[in-house]
Amino acid sequence: MTSIPYGKQHITEEDVKAVITALHSDFLTQGPKIEEFEQKFASYIGSNYAVAVSNGTAALHLCALALNVNEKSRVITTPITFAASANCIKYCGGTIDFVDIDPKTALIDIKKVKQLLQSAPKGTFDGIVPVDFGGYAVNLEELRKLADEYGLWIIEDACHAPGGYFTDSKGVKQNCGNGQFAELSIFSFHPVKHIACGEGGMITTNSKELYEKLLLLRTHGITKKPELMHENHGGWYYEMQTLGYNYRLPDINAALGISQLERAHTGLNRRRAIAKRYDEAFKKENILSIIPSEGDGHAYHLYIIRVKDRKSMYDELRKYNIFAQVHYIPVHTLPYYQNLGFKKGAYPESEHYYEECLSLPMYPSLTDEEQSFVIEKVIQIANA
Ligand SMILES: Cc1ncc(COP(=O)(O)O)c(C=O)c1O
């Protein structure tokens, strides 16, 4: 059997054709494909605006800049995420406060967020970066209530969850990134994610003001829009109005993203079917525990099990060419964050979760035969 990774892209002939067409066009860097991708993505997610950028990390950085994060800012996030969710605040000189996870879901524990907010004078914290970890949506309705009470903004890190949703208190499905609760949401189009661009990212929002700011920040802080400029010397003229970056997405990558987006729904259904099959196979085995999910809105970027002897499960699976992965090493335990003064032991649920978690192969092109092999080996190793 060939090797089975934990995640991988799925490239079709249509995708290849879309990229070749872009290569033959007049635009390699930002051109007409960007607006098309943005509009189609916004309509998939249900947000008013979308801004395509070079990757998910750039998306987070631009969000922090657009919300004026600076040396005085204090921002809350979860230790169980990719480092970029916290790093974006550090890029802008801000301070990170971690809040431990709820072990049942591995998402930031909203009750503990509340405790932290209550423990300090109002105004201490500026914002929060919740993460729809693994594709399981944070209940942003609950978080929004807290955010409003304490004057916080929300950047939803939805890298794992395009197409995911939670059901709100009125029974309405709220898509990750739809802009109803968070000021800004971000996505990544890294190849292991739902939509692959090579490198790529997207920010969604319902705020016109933030949208305009993001467009400027994405491209050096430069505008050529006559209605925004203070002067206009002619067709060549532009103004740099703020300090921005080159975080543009090339048209080549956007062409791939558009083509992938057309099958996003099918891919999501396949992920959910794979998860259901794992669930059914593992539920009978009380040697493993699955991260449970309520409702059907899980986007299943990851399928995570918890096993007592995680290292031996990881190593043994590799002997069968099954490349499971660990998501994530708690961010506060990484050397950079340790050097900032974060202590091991500070977030016990996250650290305990890290000792046991393992992400099994989960991607739309995983065949039934490959999945059966993974299930068989996981059960065999767990019972050994
Ligand atoms: C939760 C989370 N946030 C942010 C990122 C950063 O995205 P990118 O790799 O596109 O920069 C990732 C991707 O790995 C991620 O998983």
Side-chain angles (χ1 to χ4, degrees), residues 39-225:
Q39 279 168 14
K40 288 185 169 162
F41 192 80
S43 106
Y44 180 63
I45 295 296
S47 66
N48 290 353
Y49 305 100
V51 179
V53 290
S54 46
N55 54 62
T57 306
L60 283 163
H61 187 193
L62 288 192
C63 289
L65 290 166
L67 292 165
N68 302 318
V69 173
N70 58 49
E71 296 73 20
K72 293 192 194 120
S73 309
R74 275 183 76 172
V75 178
I76 298 164
T77 194
T78 164
I80 296 300
T81 184
F82 185 57
S85 317
N87 293 351
C88 62
I89 304 306
K90 299 307 300 172
Y91 295 155
C92 302
T95 301
I96 281 288
D97 287 80
F98 292 104
V99 167
D100 212 350
I101 57 163
D102 175 347
K104 290 195 295 301
T105 60
L107 301 180
I108 195 164
D109 188 334
I110 297 181
K111 284 194 215 77
K112 288 189 182 143
V113 173
K114 188 171 181 178
Q115 283 163 13
L116 177 67
L117 293 171
Q118 285 170 338
S119 73
K122 271 196 179 169
T124 302
F125 297 96
D126 297 274
I128 179 159
V129 184
V131 180
D132 300 317
F133 172 63
Y136 192 25
V138 171
N139 186 322
L140 285 189
E141 185 186 26
E142 274 179 34
L143 204 58
R144 183 75 257 170
K145 278 189 208 136
L146 269 186
D148 286 345
E149 201 181 330
Y150 287 88
L152 310 183
W153 47 251
I154 301 176
I155 300 173
E156 175 192 16
D157 183 335
C159 279
H160 296 183
Y165 62 84
F166 73 94
T167 304
D168 73 12
S169 56
K170 297 191 184 81
V172 178
K173 289 177 183 176
Q174 297 288 352
N175 281 350
C176 297
N178 71 0
Q180 293 294 324
F181 302 101
E183 276 75 1
L184 295 161
S185 301
I186 70 108
F187 297 86
S188 162
F189 305 130
H190 179 279
V192 293
K193 304 292 196 300
H194 294 65
I195 295 162
C197 281
E199 295 279 2
M202 193 74 82
I203 306 167
T204 56
T205 184
N206 285 352
S207 157
K208 186 162 195 303
E209 191 192 330
L210 288 172
Y211 170 68
E212 299 282 357
K213 230 170 158 179
L214 291 165
L215 292 182
L216 206 60
L217 288 165
R218 170 176 71 181
T219 182
H220 307 279
I222 286 176
T223 187
K224 286 191 89 169
K225 287 185 185 166

Side-chain angles (χ1 to χ4, degrees), residues 266-277:
T266 322
L268 191 58
N269 286 342
R270 176 69 189 138
R271 286 174 185 272
R272 287 177 175 153
I274 292 170
K276 193 157 173 261
R277 193 154 166 244

